[in-house]
Amino acid sequence: MTRTMRAAIFDLDGVIVDTAKYHYLAWKRLANQLGFDFSEADNERLKGVSRVRSLEILLEIGGLKVDAADREVMASRKNEWYVQYISNMTPAELLPGAVDYIAFLKTKGVKIALASASKNAPLILDRLKIGYLFDVVIDGTKASKAKPDPEVFIRAAADLGIPNEDCVVFEDAEAGIEAAIRAGMRSVGVGKPGNLTAADIVITGFAPLLTLSLIPA
Ligand code: B16
Ligand code: MG
């Protein structure tokens, strides 16, 4: 049986706003400072993953063992650089069609949530003045378990009052698609064809959906 999409749950970084490049630049800067390189392919493993877990993966890639106190210093340093990068962000860095697509879904009565691992989500929503789009926001300041744990999506659906199976998740990260599947939700991967193969469908962006006035069901 086909189920209607009653709620759309959006990831933030890499789906609505092009902050993934700033996370990458800040992690690369830290890796370089620690004496090793960090490629865009390596960065795919960090997408959607919490700050603490991202640092662990980065240190694994560099083959470094670092105690907890130094890890905390490094995570803070990366975040300071990241916040510097995003503090000059403008609406030009919203991904094409994302805001229009969300506005379109709202006209169809679809509930909208944000479910992001980022503790910086409130800052980004404020800078870009897009907080009004969301009926519910679950971000890294509210959730304790990072994707691929389904916590953020399950909490978003519960706060919206919509059953998990009637929600569709929009995600750019493998960890996020896995979290959506574990939540019993359908998923739309936003990224390059060939990536995110576990998603129900993969789109390169929202503009084509608008052209077709398409609501994935
Ligand atoms: P912060 P999302 C995630 O946001 C990013 O994809 C991931 O790269 C980042 O490490 C994580 O947020 C934590 O972000 O350091 O700002 O708390 O994609 O779930 O919106
Ligand atoms: Mg993301």
Side-chain angles (χ1 to χ4, degrees):
M1 189 187 81
T2 313
R3 293 192 72 115
T4 325
M5 173 167 67
R6 295 177 58 202
I9 305 181
F10 290 85
D11 175 52
L12 179 63
D13 293 318
V15 170
I16 294 175
V17 65
D18 192 12
T19 41
K21 65 183 181 208
Y22 295 129
H23 278 296
Y24 172 57
L25 283 178
W27 285 125
K28 189 176 166 64
R29 189 164 162 186
L30 180 67
N32 293 166
Q33 201 173 67
L34 295 171
F36 61 95
D37 202 16
F38 180 68
S39 69
E40 283 193 54
D42 295 329
N43 189 55
E44 286 300 308
R45 292 179 59 194
L46 272 47
K47 284 188 179 171
V49 175
S50 72
R51 197 182 308 165
V52 170
R53 181 65 195 131
S54 295
L55 178 62
E56 285 169 4
I57 297 171
L58 185 103
L59 293 172
E60 239 169 72
I61 291 168
L64 298 181
K65 290 223 179 308
V66 174
D67 65 31
D70 284 344
R71 283 206 302 270
E72 208 173 308
V73 172
M74 287 175 188
S76 303
R77 195 181 307 153
K78 179 268 172 181
N79 193 55
E80 276 167 29
W81 290 330
Y82 176 70
V83 169
Q84 272 169 24
Y85 295 144
I86 63 171
S87 56
N88 293 320
M89 231 170 24
T90 69
E93 285 164 277
L94 286 163
L95 287 162
V99 170
D100 291 343
Y101 182 59
I102 293 171
F104 166 75
L105 292 179
K106 287 170 90 75
T107 67
K108 300 289 176 194
V110 176
K111 297 271 183 216
I112 307 293
L114 185 84
S116 166
S118 178
K119 290 186 162 63
N120 292 300
L123 171 68
I124 295 168
L125 295 182
D126 185 57
R127 280 216 66 84
L128 298 179
K129 306 269 177 284
I130 54 170
Y132 73 94
L133 290 170
F134 304 98
D135 299 302
V136 159
V137 173
I138 306 290
D139 61 33
T141 66
K142 294 183 186 158
S144 56
K145 298 187 197 127
K147 301 168 191 172
D149 188 284
E151 183 192 11
V152 281
F153 296 138
I154 290 172
R155 283 188 54 185
D159 285 7
L160 289 171
I162 303 286
N164 293 3
E165 56 270 33
D166 292 333
C167 298
V168 175
V169 168
F170 293 81
E171 255 293 348
D172 71 318
E174 279 179 22
I177 299 292
E178 190 185 327
I181 293 168
R182 284 167 63 179
M185 298 175 181
R186 284 159 292 161
S187 59
V188 177
V190 183
K192 292 189 188 135
N195 287 354
L196 306 170
T197 47
D200 292 304
I201 56 167
V202 178
I203 57 172
T204 52
F206 293 97
L209 298 187
L210 279 165
T211 316
L212 293 172
S213 287
L214 184 72
I215 302 184

